[in-house]
Amino acid sequence: MAERRSRYARDPLGLKRALSDRLLPGLVAAMALLAALALAGTHGAAALKERWQQGAAAAVTVQLPPEQSGRMDQALALLRGMPEVASAEAVSPERMRELLRPWLGEVPPLPLPSVLELRLVNPGIDPEPIARQLAEAVPGAEVEAHGIWVARLAALARSVQGMALAVLLLVVGVGVAVVAVATRAGLASRRQAIEILHDLGATQDYIAGRFARRIGLLAASGALAGAALAVPTLAALAGVAAPLAGGMVQPWSSLPWLDLILLPPVAGGIGWATAQVSVRRWLRRLP
């Protein structure tokens, strides 16, 4: 009997029976996993966009026709002497065949154009003057800047960021709706106990606080499980995407650890605030 009274004193509204400690945390865990994926997508798209803009935007390819391959040294000397060019290097035939192999298979021993790789001092430099000077010195030389492709890739990255943020907002909205439904279900199942306590003098703050603490803890525990599930998933995705980042980033170090750590307290805060609002609105309807 004493143990029963102690349990009632700790949980006078019977919230442990009214609010399941499995269904709500499970739903929040699934939404936290989706939120982690959306946040990782946002960070990944931003990192790729920065890499493309800083790397490929400053890269320029120079192509010499096969009949002008003997003037490679002249072209290199001219380009390296330009103040707009940070570096100029020739692409070896072996590397050319390696680059063409995914598209053409084993490249036959045909005369390939001589290719130079340039790095500009500033990605915003117009390569047209460089192309004009080079064409005057080496007839038939062509300069191809990657700016248009970088702009398209940057636009694609911004679109991915926008979609990820939209998914994140959708997850938050669904989470609020799920918590509100769970809170109303708990209120309905404990209506009689709530009315008795209310008639005995329990305030709205007391009842709402009880529900909010329970809901907040359940939401935080579910988000913690979802964040834990997201870690190996994001690490695997980071390993797949590593070639796009130049293969220099370790999967575990590229994870959005701060966002993952913040997921449980943020989910708990959202659950607490939603429960507070839902309970107070419901209590106002009591006679």
Side-chain angles (χ1 to χ4, degrees), residues 60-62 76 87-91 95 99 115-119:
V60 175
T61 301
V62 175
L76 281 173
S87 64
E89 299 295 337
V91 180
R95 188 182 173 199
L99 293 173
V115 177
L116 309 177
E117 285 184 341
L118 308 183
R119 288 283 172 179

Side-chain angles (χ1 to χ4, degrees), residues 201-227:
T203 63
Q204 287 189 6
D205 291 341
Y206 175 81
I207 298 173
R210 285 280 182 174
F211 269 90
R213 280 193 296 273
R214 176 68 175 168
I215 291 288
L217 288 174
L218 293 178
S221 63
L224 180 61

Side-chain angles (χ1 to χ4, degrees), residues 140-217:
E142 297 180 357
V143 176
E144 180 182 355
H146 304 157
I148 184 171
W149 297 106
V150 172
R152 292 176 180 176
L153 290 172
L156 175 61
R158 286 193 295 269
S159 300
V160 172
Q161 284 181 287
M163 290 296 296
L165 289 174
V167 170
L168 182 61
L169 293 176
L170 179 62
V171 168
V172 172
V174 172
V176 170
V178 167
V179 171
V181 170
T183 303
R184 289 182 178 275
L187 289 168
S189 65
R190 305 304 300 166
R191 182 185 182 93
Q192 186 176 5
I194 293 172
E195 289 179 344
I196 292 174
L197 286 176
H198 190 262
D199 291 340
L200 292 175
T203 63
Q204 287 189 6
D205 291 341
Y206 175 81
I207 298 173
R210 285 280 182 174
F211 269 90
R213 280 193 296 273
R214 176 68 175 168
I215 291 288
L217 288 174

Side-chain angles (χ1 to χ4, degrees), residues 27-41 164 167-168 171 174 226-227 230 263:
L27 293 174
V28 174
M31 289 182 288
L33 176 59
L34 293 176
L37 293 176
L39 290 168
V167 170
L168 182 61
V171 168
V174 172
L263 270 178

Side-chain angles (χ1 to χ4, degrees), residues 93-160:
E94 293 77 14
R95 188 182 173 199
M96 282 288 296
R97 290 186 171 85
E98 190 69 26
L99 293 173
L100 292 173
R101 185 172 289 114
W103 309 99
L104 303 178
E106 287 298 329
V107 182
L110 297 175
L112 297 175
S114 301
V115 177
L116 309 177
E117 285 184 341
L118 308 183
R119 288 283 172 179
L120 301 181
V121 176
N122 188 336
I125 293 176
D126 183 8
E128 186 60 31
I130 299 175
R132 189 163 50 249
Q133 295 180 48
L134 184 62
E136 292 175 357
V138 183
E142 297 180 357
V143 176
E144 180 182 355
H146 304 157
I148 184 171
W149 297 106
V150 172
R152 292 176 180 176
L153 290 172
L156 175 61
R158 286 193 295 269
S159 300
V160 172

